């Protein structure tokens, strides 16, 4: 009465077109080039903390002035991200990435000519802010969502670690050059690092799997997907982003996202994430250590170690995100970070104590481990809009970083130390942990997606 099982299997195989699979899927080449691009773009992320003291010594600028330049950079870094995600959909990943690297290189090179404070706002703030914003963590999410169906969390973790790797590669050299021969040569090193990756991006960073005639890594051919997918369980169709105006699409996605409470929870948590990483530790750890008598090169070395363990922690977080509830992971990450910040004022000293090494290791493992679970919740909740929504969440990350950078600088000028900044950041991490733990799966979240055309 029923068809023989093997005959049904043969019919299914005949219905599924056979796709020639290369030995190494092109997605991995794209991911490798994307990783190098993030390394090249990350040079400036290591620079402000190292160059702040030399600039103060040469020009007499206050910590608040230099913190304002960093804050402008961080604001643009964040606000550019959602538009960059839409621009990548509209004009292609390759063109946007190459342009961003050129902006970073140009801004870093022009920094050697500054002699007034407003000029550092232009180079550090405007040019590098726009460039790094287009190479923000949303770039990692876009690559993963475009090129991968399988192992997305792991890929986002690896690419996010590219920024940490850039910090690791550049920071010791920037610190040495800033001392001798000087901070200008350090700025030129950052420019060279960004521009060196541009040829690789133009040659090897393909815009989509269709450009090379393959499916995303781990994706089934359409006929196979139709045969295996239960009725009613097919994912929503992707929006026609590539044919839409990038700015309009980014704003339309934001308008849909703000109606979903998960967006606000992620944005609040990520704002605190930015405040306690780029804004506080990334900008003010070296000046704070210098206040306690620690040499700048030693403090820069500690931040480089943070970068080493950041790579490990972020990749591990991506692996965990593919297997565990990302909400629980976020809560754990934020709470551990808060504990670290709480004890940091007790650890700072002219000499590096074993307890400081423990702090550096733990903080490094936790530095941007929050990115894979945050990107996963964005994709889970907003589907086809996930990359652009993550861009807006990342904008909140950078707004939090900007606020923390300038607030900590002002506190340092007003009190002569950073203790209140560390304490406040620790309290904010506890708030982020509670917010993350209470994120619920929104039953109506798919309403935030555009209807399939």
């Amino acid at each position: 009465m029923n068809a023989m099982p093997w005959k049904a299997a043969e019919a299914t195989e005949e219905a599924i077109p056979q796709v020639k699979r290369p030995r190494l899927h092109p997605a991995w080449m794209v991911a490798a080039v994307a990783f190098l691009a993030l390394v090249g773009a990350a040079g400036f992320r290591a620079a402000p903390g190292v160059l702040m003291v030399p600039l103060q010594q040469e020009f007499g600028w206050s910590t608040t002035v230099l913190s304002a330049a960093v804050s402008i950079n961080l604001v643009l870094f964040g606000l550019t991200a959602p538009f960059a995600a839409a621009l990548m959909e509209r004009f292609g990943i390759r063109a946007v990435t190459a342009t961003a690297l050129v902006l970073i290189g140009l801004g870093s090179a022009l920094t050697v000519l500054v002699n007034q404070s407003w000029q550092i706002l232009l180079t550090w703030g405007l040019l590098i802010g726009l460039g790094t914003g287009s190479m923000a963590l949303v770039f990692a999410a876009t690559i993963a969502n475009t090129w991968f169906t399988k192992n997305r969390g792991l890929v986002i973790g690896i690419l996010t670690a590219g920024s940490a790797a850039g910090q690791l590669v550049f920071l010791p050299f920037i610190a040495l050059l800033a001392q001798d021969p000087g901070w200008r040569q350090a700025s030129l090193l950052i420019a060279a690092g960004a521009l060196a990756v541009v040829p690789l991006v133009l040659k090897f960073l393909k815009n989509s799997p269709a450009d090379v005639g393959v499916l995303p890594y781990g994706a089934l051919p359409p006929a196979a997907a139709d045969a295996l997918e239960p009725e009613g369980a097919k994912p929503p169709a992707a929006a026609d982003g590539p044919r839409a105006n990038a700015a309009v699409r980014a704003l339309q996605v934001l308008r849909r996202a703000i109606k979903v409470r998960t967006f606000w929870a992620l944005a609040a948590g990520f704002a605190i994430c930015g405040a306690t990483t780029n804004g506080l530790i990334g900008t003010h750890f070296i000046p704070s250590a210098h206040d306690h008598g620690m040499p700048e090169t030693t403090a820069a070395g500690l931040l480089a170690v943070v970068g080493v363990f950041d790579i490990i922690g972020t990749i591990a977080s991506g692996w965990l995100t593919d297997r565990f509830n990302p909400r629980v992971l976020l809560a754990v990450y934020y709470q551990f970070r808060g504990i670290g910040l709480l004890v940091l004022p007790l650890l700072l000293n002219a000499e590096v104590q074993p307890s400081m090494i423990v702090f550096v290791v733990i903080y490094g493992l936790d530095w941007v481990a929050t990115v894979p679970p945050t990107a996963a919740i964005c994709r889970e909740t907003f589907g086809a809009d996930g990359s652009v929504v993550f861009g807006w969440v990342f904008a909140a990350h950078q707004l939090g970083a900007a606020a923390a950078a300038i607030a900590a600088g002002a506190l340092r000028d007003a009190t002569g130390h950073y203790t209140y900044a560390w304490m406040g950041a620790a309290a904010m991490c506890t708030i982020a942990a509670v917010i993350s733990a209470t994120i619920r799966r929104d039953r109506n979240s798919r309403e935030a997606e555009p209807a399939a055309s």
Side-chain angles (χ1 to χ4, degrees), residues 117-133:
S117 60
W118 68 267
Q119 294 167 342
I120 202 73
L121 301 180
L122 177 65
T123 55
W124 276 19
L126 181 62
L127 290 176
I128 300 178
L130 290 172
T132 53

Side-chain angles (χ1 to χ4, degrees), residues 360-382:
V360 165
V361 170
I362 293 175
Y363 214 84
L365 291 172
D366 199 3
W367 182 263
V368 285
T370 54
V371 172
T374 301
I377 296 172
C378 285
R379 186 176 63 250
E380 170 192 302
T381 306
F382 298 98

Side-chain angles (χ1 to χ4, degrees), residues 191-227:
L195 296 175
V197 190
V198 174
L200 292 174
V201 167
L202 293 175
K203 183 169 179 61
F204 296 110
L205 190 64
K206 306 301 182 182
N207 292 323
S208 71
D211 288 352
V212 291
V214 300
L215 295 170
Y217 179 76
L220 292 172
D226 290 342

